[in-house]
Amino acid sequence: MMTIEEDQEEYNWREVQLPSQIPKPELERETGERRRGRDVVIAVDHGPNSKHAFDWALAHFCRLADTLHLVHAVSNVKNEDVYQATQILMDKLAVEAFQVKSVARIVEGDAGKVICKEAERLRPAAVIMGSRGRGLVQSVLQGSVGEYCIHHCKTAPIIIVPGKEAGELSAV
């Protein structure tokens, strides 16, 4: 676990070691033969809408040369049970995205603030996240991570609304 002091605010995070059995992309990333890859942040959690956004990003946004930064916000990075569950989730997602380079990170804090801090640190081409699909009144009364990121993130957030099949699927 690393702790970084930023603006007198603690910023705790842990890198997730992705499985070594994931085949490395065959794309030569360092040569000038292909277009330079982009960094893409995908906010993930254990819900079906997050999985739907991840699948959408792979199908419609990501290129072979891109690097996916999977970010999961938790309340406590020191909790081993949370770390193990998140590592299993990140492993599954990294295996699905085997054609592109994946980096996973668990960050402690409020989800909206964490996603915006990671976007500021990485300066990605986009921040992709799922939405619960709540109505306008509910999201105004209860707030939403996507709405927070739209107002505070310096990188363009892409909010993926749930499809009909997303509510029936689970990432775990």
Side-chain angles (χ1 to χ4, degrees):
M1 180 181 69
M2 302 280 293
T3 302
I4 299 173
E5 286 284 328
E6 285 188 4
D7 303 329
Q8 282 71 25
E9 187 177 327
E10 270 193 25
Y11 184 51
N12 294 325
W13 56 272
R14 281 177 84 170
E15 292 289 338
V16 175
Q17 298 299 320
L18 297 176
S20 59
Q21 70 263 19
I22 299 174
K24 297 296 179 200
E26 295 179 16
L27 177 67
E28 291 295 324
R29 298 176 62 83
E30 303 303 321
T31 65
E33 297 172 16
R34 292 268 181 136
R35 184 182 300 177
R36 185 174 165 268
R38 308 168 296 178
D39 289 319
V40 178
V41 170
I42 301 179
V44 297
D45 62 15
H46 297 277
N49 298 330
S50 171
K51 176 70 168 83
H52 179 67
F54 174 80
D55 292 340
W56 182 92
L58 286 180
H60 302 288
F61 191 82
C62 294
R63 302 176 190 151
L64 290 176
D66 291 348
T67 300
L68 294 182
H69 296 272
L70 305 174
V71 176
H72 181 65
V74 296
S75 58
N76 184 359
V77 294
K78 297 172 187 157
N79 185 333
E80 283 301 315
D81 293 334
V82 171
Y83 179 77
Q84 293 299 326
T86 302
Q87 185 164 14
I88 291 168
L89 170 69
M90 299 289 199
D91 289 350
K92 288 180 180 180
L93 296 177
V95 168
E96 281 188 43
F98 71 91
Q99 291 183 331
V100 294
K101 181 180 177 189
S102 299
V103 178
R105 180 178 269 206
I106 304 171
V107 187
E108 183 176 303
D110 181 53
K113 291 179 183 178
V114 161
I115 293 165
C116 290
K117 279 187 179 183
E118 285 296 299
E120 190 172 328
R121 181 182 73 84
L122 294 168
R123 301 193 190 286
V127 176
I128 300 173
M129 67 186 74
S131 169
R132 290 187 189 153
R134 287 192 268 178
L136 177 64
V137 174
Q138 274 187 319
S139 67
V140 168
L141 292 176
Q142 296 176 338
S144 90
V145 174
E147 188 174 325
Y148 180 89
C149 291
I150 286 171
H151 293 291
H152 295 92
C153 199
K154 294 180 180 175
T155 302
I158 299 174
I159 313 297
I160 307 301
V161 296
K164 292 179 183 174
E165 71 281 351
E168 302 163 7
L169 302 175
S170 177
V172 179

